[in-house]
Amino acid sequence: MSKNPFNLKTGGGILKKVVGAVIVLAVLALVIKHPHDAAGMVNTAKDQGDGVIDSVVEFFRGLGHG
């Protein structure tokens, strides 16, 4: 019997790791060089995420009243 019953692949290729490292470095550079802009981006993403959540909640409430 194997230790991983679902046979999920847990490793990643070198390209995946390099892309991840580049993304992390880019985010760090953005935060360090332009902290005000980075904060604005986070707030914008949060506001849009809240709008999506509200829309999904309204959809399911509408299904309940139908």
Side-chain angles (χ1 to χ4, degrees):
M1 172 110 5
S2 69
K3 291 184 180 181
N4 188 355
F6 301 109
N7 293 326
L8 296 175
K9 185 176 180 182
T10 57
I14 188 74
L15 181 62
K16 196 176 202 181
K17 292 178 183 179
V18 169
V19 170
V22 168
I23 290 172
V24 168
L25 290 174
V27 170
L28 283 175
L30 177 69
V31 170
I32 291 170
K33 289 186 175 188
H34 307 286
H36 190 284
D37 293 338
M41 289 180 200
V42 170
N43 286 334
T44 300
K46 180 191 161 290
D47 292 343
Q48 290 178 351
D50 288 344
V52 170
I53 292 171
D54 291 341
S55 297
V56 170
V57 169
E58 286 183 39
F59 172 75
F60 283 112
R61 284 184 180 165
L63 287 177
H65 287 69

Coordinates of all heavy atoms in Angstrom, one line a residue:
M1 N 0.9 -1.2 0.0 CA 0.0 0.0 0.0 C 0.9 1.2 0.0 O 1.8 1.3 0.8 CB -0.9 0.0 1.2 CG -1.7 1.2 1.5 SD -3.4 1.3 1.3 CE -4.3 -0.1 0.9
S2 N 0.6 2.2 -0.9 CA 1.4 3.4 -0.9 C 1.0 4.4 0.1 O -0.1 4.3 0.7 CB 1.3 4.0 -2.3 OG 0.0 4.5 -2.5
K3 N 1.9 5.3 0.4 CA 1.7 6.3 1.5 C 0.7 7.4 0.9 O 0.0 8.0 1.7 CB 3.0 7.0 1.9 CG 3.8 6.0 2.7 CD 5.1 6.8 3.2 CE 6.0 5.8 3.9 NZ 7.1 6.5 4.5
N4 N 0.6 7.6 -0.4 CA -0.3 8.6 -0.9 C -1.4 7.8 -1.7 O -1.2 7.4 -2.8 CB 0.5 9.4 -1.9 CG -0.3 10.6 -2.4 OD1 -1.5 10.7 -2.1 ND2 0.3 11.5 -3.2
P5 N -2.6 7.6 -1.0 CA -3.6 6.8 -1.6 C -4.3 7.5 -2.9 O -4.9 6.8 -3.7 CB -4.6 6.7 -0.5 CG -4.4 7.9 0.3 CD -2.9 8.2 0.3
F6 N -4.1 8.7 -3.1 CA -4.7 9.4 -4.2 C -3.8 9.6 -5.4 O -4.2 10.1 -6.5 CB -5.3 10.8 -3.8 CG -6.3 10.7 -2.7 CD1 -5.9 11.1 -1.4 CD2 -7.5 10.1 -2.9 CE1 -6.9 11.0 -0.4 CE2 -8.4 10.1 -1.9 CZ -8.1 10.5 -0.6
N7 N -2.5 9.2 -5.3 CA -1.5 9.2 -6.4 C -1.4 10.6 -6.9 O -1.4 10.8 -8.1 CB -1.8 8.2 -7.5 CG -1.7 6.8 -7.0 OD1 -0.8 6.5 -6.2 ND2 -2.5 5.9 -7.5
L8 N -1.4 11.6 -6.1 CA -1.3 13.0 -6.5 C 0.2 13.3 -6.7 O 1.1 12.9 -6.0 CB -1.8 14.0 -5.4 CG -3.3 13.9 -5.1 CD1 -3.6 14.8 -4.0 CD2 -4.1 14.3 -6.3
K9 N 0.5 14.0 -7.8 CA 1.8 14.4 -8.1 C 2.2 15.6 -7.3 O 1.6 16.7 -7.4 CB 2.0 14.8 -9.6 CG 3.4 15.1 -10.0 CD 3.4 15.3 -11.5 CE 4.8 15.6 -11.9 NZ 4.9 15.9 -13.4
T10 N 3.2 15.5 -6.4 CA 3.6 16.6 -5.5 C 4.8 17.4 -6.0 O 5.0 18.4 -5.5 CB 3.8 16.0 -4.1 OG1 4.9 15.0 -4.2 CG2 2.6 15.4 -3.5
G11 N 5.5 16.8 -6.9 CA 6.7 17.5 -7.4 C 6.4 18.5 -8.5 O 5.3 18.4 -9.1
G12 N 7.3 19.3 -8.9 CA 7.1 20.2 -10.0 C 8.4 20.2 -10.8 O 9.5 20.0 -10.4
G13 N 8.2 20.6 -12.1 CA 9.4 20.7 -13.0 C 10.2 22.0 -12.7 O 9.7 22.9 -12.0
I14 N 11.3 22.0 -13.3 CA 12.2 23.1 -13.0 C 11.6 24.4 -13.6 O 11.8 25.5 -13.0 CB 13.6 22.9 -13.6 CG1 14.6 23.9 -13.2 CG2 13.6 22.7 -15.1 CD1 15.0 23.9 -11.8
L15 N 10.9 24.3 -14.7 CA 10.3 25.5 -15.4 C 9.3 26.1 -14.4 O 9.2 27.3 -14.3 CB 9.7 25.1 -16.7 CG 9.1 26.3 -17.5 CD1 10.1 27.3 -17.8 CD2 8.4 25.8 -18.7
K16 N 8.5 25.2 -13.8 CA 7.4 25.7 -12.9 C 8.1 26.4 -11.7 O 7.6 27.5 -11.3 CB 6.7 24.5 -12.4 CG 5.3 24.8 -11.8 CD 4.6 23.5 -11.4 CE 3.2 23.7 -11.3 NZ 2.5 22.5 -10.9
K17 N 9.2 25.9 -11.2 CA 9.8 26.6 -10.1 C 10.5 27.9 -10.5 O 10.4 28.9 -9.7 CB 10.9 25.6 -9.5 CG 10.3 24.4 -8.8 CD 11.4 23.5 -8.3 CE 10.7 22.2 -7.7 NZ 11.7 21.3 -7.2
V18 N 11.0 28.0 -11.7 CA 11.6 29.2 -12.1 C 10.6 30.3 -12.4 O 10.7 31.4 -12.0 CB 12.4 29.0 -13.5 CG1 12.8 30.3 -14.1 CG2 13.7 28.1 -13.2
V19 N 9.5 29.9 -13.0 CA 8.4 30.9 -13.2 C 7.8 31.4 -11.8 O 7.6 32.6 -11.7 CB 7.2 30.2 -14.0 CG1 6.0 31.1 -14.0 CG2 7.7 30.0 -15.4
G20 N 7.7 30.5 -10.9 CA 7.2 30.9 -9.5 C 8.2 31.9 -8.9 O 7.8 32.8 -8.3
A21 N 9.5 31.6 -9.0 CA 10.5 32.5 -8.4 C 10.5 33.8 -9.1 O 10.6 34.9 -8.4 CB 11.9 31.8 -8.5
V22 N 10.3 33.9 -10.4 CA 10.3 35.1 -11.1 C 9.0 36.0 -10.7 O 9.1 37.2 -10.5 CB 10.3 34.9 -12.6 CG1 9.9 36.2 -13.4 CG2 11.6 34.3 -13.1
I23 N 7.9 35.3 -10.5 CA 6.7 36.0 -10.1 C 6.9 36.6 -8.7 O 6.5 37.7 -8.4 CB 5.5 35.1 -10.1 CG1 5.1 34.8 -11.6 CG2 4.3 35.7 -9.4 CD1 4.1 33.7 -11.8
V24 N 7.4 35.8 -7.8 CA 7.7 36.3 -6.4 C 8.6 37.5 -6.4 O 8.4 38.5 -5.7 CB 8.2 35.1 -5.5 CG1 8.7 35.7 -4.2 CG2 7.1 34.1 -5.3
L25 N 9.7 37.4 -7.2 CA 10.7 38.5 -7.3 C 10.0 39.7 -7.9 O 10.3 40.9 -7.4 CB 11.9 38.1 -8.1 CG 12.8 37.1 -7.4 CD1 13.9 36.6 -8.4 CD2 13.4 37.6 -6.1
A26 N 9.2 39.6 -8.9 CA 8.5 40.7 -9.5 C 7.5 41.4 -8.5 O 7.5 42.6 -8.4 CB 7.7 40.3 -10.7
V27 N 6.8 40.6 -7.7 CA 5.9 41.2 -6.7 C 6.7 41.9 -5.6 O 6.4 43.0 -5.2 CB 5.0 40.1 -6.1 CG1 4.3 40.6 -4.9 CG2 4.0 39.5 -7.1
L28 N 7.8 41.3 -5.2 CA 8.7 42.0 -4.2 C 9.2 43.3 -4.7 O 9.2 44.3 -4.0 CB 9.8 41.0 -3.7 CG 9.4 39.9 -2.8 CD1 10.6 39.0 -2.5 CD2 8.9 40.5 -1.5
A29 N 9.7 43.3 -5.9 CA 10.2 44.5 -6.6 C 9.1 45.6 -6.6 O 9.4 46.8 -6.3 CB 10.8 44.2 -7.9
L30 N 7.9 45.2 -7.0 CA 6.8 46.2 -7.1 C 6.5 46.8 -5.7 O 6.4 48.0 -5.6 CB 5.6 45.5 -7.6 CG 4.3 46.3 -7.7 CD1 4.5 47.4 -8.7 CD2 3.1 45.5 -8.0
V31 N 6.5 45.9 -4.7 CA 6.2 46.4 -3.3 C 7.3 47.3 -2.8 O 7.0 48.3 -2.2 CB 5.9 45.2 -2.4 CG1 5.9 45.6 -0.9 CG2 4.7 44.4 -2.8
I32 N 8.5 47.0 -3.1 CA 9.6 47.8 -2.6 C 9.8 49.1 -3.3 O 9.9 50.1 -2.7 CB 11.0 47.0 -2.7 CG1 10.9 45.8 -1.7 CG2 12.2 47.8 -2.4 CD1 12.0 44.8 -1.8
K33 N 9.6 49.1 -4.6 CA 9.8 50.3 -5.4 C 8.6 51.2 -5.4 O 8.7 52.4 -5.5 CB 10.2 49.9 -6.9 CG 11.6 49.4 -7.0 CD 12.0 49.2 -8.4 CE 13.4 48.7 -8.5 NZ 13.9 48.7 -9.9
H34 N 7.4 50.6 -5.4 CA 6.2 51.4 -5.5 C 5.1 50.9 -4.5 O 4.1 50.3 -4.9 CB 5.6 51.3 -6.9 CG 6.5 51.6 -8.0 ND1 6.9 52.9 -8.3 CD2 7.2 50.8 -8.9 CE1 7.8 52.9 -9.3 NE2 8.0 51.6 -9.7
P35 N 5.4 51.1 -3.2 CA 4.4 50.6 -2.2 C 3.0 51.1 -2.3 O 2.0 50.4 -2.1 CB 5.1 50.9 -0.9 CG 6.1 52.0 -1.2 CD 6.5 51.8 -2.6
H36 N 2.9 52.4 -2.7 CA 1.6 53.0 -2.8 C 0.8 52.4 -3.9 O -0.4 52.1 -3.7 CB 1.7 54.5 -3.0 CG 0.4 55.3 -2.9 ND1 -0.5 55.2 -3.9 CD2 -0.1 56.0 -1.9 CE1 -1.6 55.9 -3.5 NE2 -1.3 56.5 -2.3
D37 N 1.4 52.2 -5.0 CA 0.7 51.5 -6.2 C 0.4 50.1 -5.8 O -0.7 49.6 -6.2 CB 1.6 51.5 -7.4 CG 1.8 53.0 -7.9 OD1 1.0 53.8 -7.6 OD2 2.8 53.2 -8.7
A38 N 1.2 49.4 -5.1 CA 1.0 48.0 -4.8 C -0.2 47.9 -3.8 O -1.1 47.0 -4.0 CB 2.2 47.4 -4.1
A39 N -0.3 48.8 -2.9 CA -1.4 48.9 -2.0 C -2.7 49.1 -2.7 O -3.8 48.5 -2.4 CB -1.2 49.9 -0.9
G40 N -2.7 50.0 -3.7 CA -3.9 50.3 -4.5 C -4.3 49.1 -5.3 O -5.5 48.9 -5.4
M41 N -3.4 48.3 -5.8 CA -3.7 47.1 -6.5 C -4.4 46.1 -5.6 O -5.4 45.5 -6.0 CB -2.5 46.5 -7.2 CG -1.9 47.3 -8.3 SD -0.5 46.4 -8.9 CE 0.3 47.8 -9.8
V42 N -3.9 46.0 -4.4 CA -4.5 45.0 -3.5 C -5.9 45.5 -3.1 O -6.8 44.6 -3.1 CB -3.6 44.9 -2.2 CG1 -4.3 44.1 -1.1 CG2 -2.3 44.2 -2.6
N43 N -6.1 46.7 -2.9 CA -7.4 47.2 -2.5 C -8.4 47.1 -3.7 O -9.5 46.7 -3.5 CB -7.3 48.7 -2.1 CG -6.8 48.9 -0.7 OD1 -6.8 48.0 0.1 ND2 -6.2 50.0 -0.5
T44 N -7.9 47.3 -4.9 CA -8.8 47.1 -6.1 C -9.2 45.7 -6.2 O -10.4 45.3 -6.5 CB -8.1 47.6 -7.3 OG1 -7.8 49.0 -7.2 CG2 -8.9 47.4 -8.6
A45 N -8.2 44.8 -6.1 CA -8.5 43.3 -6.2 C -9.5 42.9 -5.1 O -10.4 42.1 -5.3 CB -7.2 42.5 -6.1
K46 N -9.3 43.4 -3.9 CA -10.2 43.1 -2.8 C -11.6 43.6 -3.0 O -12.6 42.8 -2.8 CB -9.7 43.7 -1.5 CG -10.6 43.4 -0.3 CD -10.2 44.3 0.9 CE -11.2 44.3 2.0 NZ -12.4 45.1 1.6
D47 N -11.7 44.8 -3.5 CA -13.1 45.3 -3.8 C -13.8 44.5 -4.9 O -14.9 44.2 -4.8 CB -13.0 46.8 -4.3 CG -12.5 47.7 -3.1 OD1 -12.6 47.3 -2.0 OD2 -12.1 48.8 -3.4
Q48 N -13.0 44.1 -6.0 CA -13.6 43.3 -7.0 C -14.0 41.9 -6.5 O -15.0 41.4 -6.9 CB -12.6 43.2 -8.2 CG -12.5 44.5 -9.0 CD -11.5 44.4 -10.1 OE1 -10.8 43.4 -10.3 NE2 -11.5 45.5 -10.9
G49 N -13.2 41.4 -5.6 CA -13.5 40.1 -5.1 C -14.7 40.1 -4.2 O -15.6 39.2 -4.3
D50 N -14.9 41.2 -3.5 CA -16.1 41.4 -2.7 C -17.3 41.4 -3.6 O -18.4 40.9 -3.3 CB -16.0 42.6 -1.8 CG -15.0 42.5 -0.6 OD1 -14.7 41.3 -0.3 OD2 -14.7 43.5 0.0
G51 N -17.2 42.1 -4.7 CA -18.3 42.2 -5.6 C -18.7 40.9 -6.2 O -19.9 40.6 -6.4
V52 N -17.7 40.1 -6.5 CA -18.0 38.7 -7.0 C -18.7 37.9 -6.0 O -19.7 37.2 -6.3 CB -16.7 38.0 -7.5 CG1 -16.9 36.6 -7.8 CG2 -16.1 38.8 -8.7
I53 N -18.2 38.0 -4.7 CA -18.9 37.2 -3.7 C -20.3 37.6 -3.5 O -21.2 36.8 -3.3 CB -18.1 37.3 -2.4 CG1 -16.7 36.6 -2.5 CG2 -18.8 36.8 -1.2 CD1 -15.7 36.8 -1.4
D54 N -20.5 39.0 -3.5 CA -21.9 39.5 -3.3 C -22.8 39.0 -4.4 O -24.0 38.7 -4.2 CB -21.9 41.0 -3.3 CG -21.3 41.5 -2.0 OD1 -21.2 40.8 -1.0 OD2 -20.9 42.7 -2.0
S55 N -22.3 39.0 -5.7 CA -23.1 38.5 -6.8 C -23.5 37.0 -6.7 O -24.6 36.7 -7.0 CB -22.3 38.7 -8.1 OG -22.1 40.1 -8.3
V56 N -22.5 36.2 -6.2 CA -22.8 34.8 -6.1 C -23.9 34.6 -5.0 O -24.8 33.8 -5.1 CB -21.5 34.0 -5.7 CG1 -21.8 32.6 -5.3 CG2 -20.6 34.0 -6.9
V57 N -23.8 35.4 -3.9 CA -24.7 35.2 -2.8 C -26.1 35.7 -3.3 O -27.1 35.0 -3.0 CB -24.3 36.1 -1.6 CG1 -25.4 36.2 -0.6 CG2 -23.1 35.5 -0.9
E58 N -26.2 36.7 -4.0 CA -27.5 37.2 -4.6 C -28.1 36.1 -5.5 O -29.3 35.9 -5.5 CB -27.3 38.5 -5.3 CG -27.2 39.7 -4.4 CD -27.1 41.0 -5.2 OE1 -27.8 41.1 -6.2 OE2 -26.3 41.8 -4.8
F59 N -27.2 35.5 -6.3 CA -27.7 34.5 -7.2 C -28.4 33.3 -6.5 O -29.5 32.9 -6.8 CB -26.5 33.9 -8.1 CG -26.9 32.7 -8.9 CD1 -27.6 32.9 -10.1 CD2 -26.4 31.5 -8.5 CE1 -27.9 31.7 -10.8 CE2 -26.7 30.4 -9.3 CZ -27.5 30.5 -10.4
F60 N -27.7 32.8 -5.4 CA -28.2 31.7 -4.7 C -29.5 32.1 -3.9 O -30.4 31.3 -3.7 CB -27.2 31.1 -3.7 CG -26.2 30.2 -4.5 CD1 -24.9 30.6 -4.7 CD2 -26.6 29.0 -5.1 CE1 -24.0 29.8 -5.4 CE2 -25.7 28.2 -5.8 CZ -24.4 28.6 -5.9
R61 N -29.5 33.3 -3.4 CA -30.7 33.8 -2.7 C -31.9 33.9 -3.7 O -33.0 33.6 -3.4 CB -30.5 35.2 -2.1 CG -29.7 35.1 -0.9 CD -29.6 36.5 -0.2 NE -28.8 36.4 1.0 CZ -28.3 37.5 1.6 NH1 -28.4 38.7 1.1 NH2 -27.6 37.3 2.7
G62 N -31.6 34.3 -5.0 CA -32.6 34.3 -6.0 C -33.2 32.9 -6.3 O -34.3 32.8 -6.6
L63 N -32.3 31.9 -6.3 CA -32.7 30.6 -6.5 C -33.7 30.1 -5.4 O -34.6 29.4 -5.7 CB -31.5 29.6 -6.6 CG -30.6 29.7 -7.8 CD1 -29.5 28.8 -7.7 CD2 -31.4 29.4 -9.1
G64 N -33.4 30.5 -4.2 CA -34.3 30.1 -3.1 C -35.6 30.7 -3.1 O -36.6 30.1 -2.6
H65 N -35.8 31.9 -3.7 CA -37.1 32.6 -3.8 C -37.9 32.2 -5.0 O -39.1 32.5 -5.1 CB -36.9 34.1 -3.8 CG -36.4 34.7 -2.5 ND1 -35.2 34.4 -2.0 CD2 -37.1 35.5 -1.6 CE1 -35.1 35.0 -0.8 NE2 -36.2 35.7 -0.6
G66 N -37.3 31.4 -5.9 CA -37.9 31.1 -7.2 C -38.9 30.0 -7.0 O -39.9 29.6 -7.2

